[in-house]
Amino acid sequence: MEQKIRLAIDMDEVLADTIDKFIEVYRQDHQTEILLEEMSGKEFHELLPDTLNDSWRTYVNAPGFFRDLKVMPGAQDVVKELCTKYDVYVVSAAMEFKNSLVDKLDWLGDHFPYIGWKNIIFCGNKIVDVGIMIDDRIRNFAGFQGRPILFSSPHNHFVTEYERANNWAEIADKLL
Amino acid sequence: MEQKIRLAIDMDEVLADTIDKFIEVYRQDHQTEILLEEMSGKEFHELLPDTLNDSWRTYVNAPGFFRDLKVMPGAQDVVKELCTKYDVYVVSAAMEFKNSLVDKLDWLGDHFPYIGWKNIIFCGNKIVDVGIMIDDRIRNFAGFQGRPILFSSPHNHFVTEYERANNWAEIADKLL
């Protein structure tokens, strides 16, 4: 039997819509409206008023923040199909935020139940031995010897050095 | 500057004395004495009486089980020195037991505070891109292209296929 190629898929901004949650909490808690259109080339927190500058850290450190994120459109169907062709791993740099670990694992269980615990990796640096990596952060491609695919997110809008997928339909076109 | 070789170090039975905890809880909770001498070539749970056969799963799934494990003798000093020569990662197959994640992270923070979150990996399959891997489970060496070092634990007593280290002093001799 031929060995399947290993495929690493990031969580935040790739499987899970973290920015949507940020927009929502700042709208609700601080009556601050951040528009997706303003975000090109910027991190979300760069758009916050000075008084709220570091408040995003409180949110991502709070239990529950990552538990109810929306799934990125199309991700569930495409990842399910990818699992038939590739050895799919979900690889998230979750280790910075202790309280995200269990939330992220539970979230994956709800929305991607066909990905078992053996194929989930929570880490800091993504030193994974895989053939293809789908990620929105180019820092995770540093030193990576395989095929990196940059998943579009507002903050990486102006990055031109990598093969890019704008959405899960484009991932399907490339990899299925 | 020369790039340091990446070194992956396992937690249970390598950094942390999980078997000691098992022996202790069965002594306390079930008045069952399991001796280290009986364990050669066997998993701990194989030595339990039939009536307690699956009870170990309840323990490892309980919050707190991994929080107060003893540190393996010599591990703290040797790992600290290894960090000066290698790019050290702690890699634990923690994902099977959801409640172990935060306990393991807190335990590392207490006993190995010099290992930052970027160098901690909780996973299932250990598909890490490292040069050296220290582990007590040979299944984690499957497909690994680097230098595997089998850390002695009763269950791997009769394994002869790998370079072996019996304790942290021997790791120091080999790698420092």
Side-chain angles (χ1 to χ4, degrees):
Chain A
M1 199 181 77
E2 206 184 334
Q3 188 100 26
K4 286 178 180 173
I5 293 171
R6 288 188 197 137
L7 166 62
I9 304 176
D10 179 37
M11 284 185 78
D12 293 312
E13 293 312 297
V14 175
L15 293 179
D17 196 345
T18 323
I19 289 179
D20 171 82
K21 178 78 182 268
F22 272 125
I23 289 175
E24 198 57 34
V25 293
Y26 280 93
R27 184 185 289 142
Q28 289 201 357
D29 296 355
H30 304 283
Q31 294 73 52
T32 297
E33 190 73 28
I34 308 289
L35 300 171
L36 218 49
E37 305 86 87
E38 306 172 295
M39 291 190 60
S40 288
K42 289 179 182 163
E43 298 298 331
F44 182 83
H45 63 85
E46 295 181 81
L47 295 168
L48 293 171
D50 284 350
T51 49
L52 293 172
N53 214 339
D54 260 2
S55 58
W56 68 278
R57 289 200 161 265
T58 309
Y59 284 113
V60 294
N61 276 311
F65 182 85
F66 292 94
R67 188 62 185 89
D68 61 356
L69 302 183
K70 288 179 191 154
V71 182
M72 295 292 268
Q76 282 162 306
D77 291 341
V78 176
V79 172
K80 195 169 192 176
E81 273 204 75
L82 287 169
C83 285
T84 65
K85 193 171 168 191
Y86 301 87
D87 190 13
V88 172
Y89 285 82
V90 172
V91 183
S92 174
M95 212 54 78
E96 189 174 8
F97 305 112
K98 184 169 90 171
N99 290 319
S100 76
L101 298 174
V102 170
D103 283 343
K104 284 184 173 227
L105 195 56
D106 286 341
W107 187 91
L108 285 171
D110 280 354
H111 302 293
F112 298 87
Y114 42 84
I115 295 178
W117 65 268
K118 288 183 181 174
N119 288 56
I120 297 173
I121 300 177
F122 292 162
C123 56
N125 296 331
K126 297 194 174 180
I127 55 155
V128 284
D129 182 13
V130 299
I132 307 171
M133 191 188 292
I134 303 172
D135 211 294
D136 68 308
R137 297 274 167 197
I138 60 169
R139 66 164 176 258
N140 293 321
F141 298 150
F144 176 55
Q145 302 291 318
R147 175 182 174 189
I149 301 178
L150 186 66
F151 199 91
S152 290
S153 181
H155 69 83
N156 67 36
H157 189 78
F158 298 111
V159 175
T160 55
E161 292 91 336
Y162 292 95
E163 178 182 359
R164 178 184 286 274
N166 288 302
N167 50 52
W168 278 97
E170 289 188 17
I171 293 286
D173 285 345
K174 287 174 186 293
L175 300 183
L176 289 172
Chain B
M1 200 181 78
E2 206 184 332
Q3 188 100 26
K4 286 178 181 172
I5 293 171
R6 288 187 197 140
L7 166 61
I9 303 175
D10 180 36
M11 284 184 79
D12 294 311
E13 293 313 296
V14 176
L15 292 179
D17 196 346
T18 323
I19 289 180
D20 171 81
K21 178 78 181 268
F22 271 125
I23 289 175
E24 199 55 36
V25 295
Y26 280 93
R27 183 185 289 143
Q28 290 201 355
D29 296 357
H30 304 284
Q31 293 75 51
T32 298
E33 190 72 29
I34 307 289
L35 300 171
L36 219 49
E37 305 85 89
E38 305 172 296
M39 290 189 62
S40 288
K42 290 180 181 161
E43 299 298 330
F44 182 84
H45 63 85
E46 295 181 82
L47 295 168
L48 293 171
D50 283 352
T51 49
L52 294 172
N53 213 339
D54 260 3
S55 58
W56 68 278
R57 290 201 162 263
T58 309
Y59 284 112
V60 295
N61 276 312
F65 182 85
F66 293 93
R67 186 64 184 89
D68 61 356
L69 302 185
K70 288 178 189 153
V71 181
M72 295 293 267
Q76 282 162 307
D77 290 341
V78 176
V79 173
K80 195 169 192 176
E81 271 204 76
L82 288 169
C83 285
T84 66
K85 193 171 168 190
Y86 301 88
D87 191 13
V88 171
Y89 284 82
V90 172
V91 183
S92 175
M95 212 54 78
E96 189 174 7
F97 305 113
K98 184 169 89 172
N99 290 320
S100 76
L101 298 174
V102 170
D103 283 342
K104 284 183 173 229
L105 195 56
D106 286 341
W107 187 91
L108 285 171
D110 280 353
H111 301 293
F112 298 87
Y114 41 84
I115 294 179
W117 65 268
K118 289 183 180 173
N119 288 56
I120 297 172
I121 300 177
F122 292 162
C123 56
N125 296 330
K126 296 194 175 179
I127 55 156
V128 285
D129 182 14
V130 299
I132 306 171
M133 190 188 293
I134 302 172
D135 211 294
D136 69 308
R137 296 274 167 197
I138 61 169
R139 66 163 175 259
N140 293 321
F141 298 150
F144 176 54
Q145 301 291 318
R147 174 183 175 188
I149 300 178
L150 186 64
F151 199 91
S152 291
S153 180
H155 69 82
N156 66 35
H157 189 78
F158 299 111
V159 175
T160 55
E161 293 91 338
Y162 293 95
E163 178 182 359
R164 178 185 287 273
N166 288 302
N167 50 53
W168 278 96
E170 290 188 16
I171 293 285
D173 285 344
K174 287 173 186 294
L175 299 183
L176 288 172

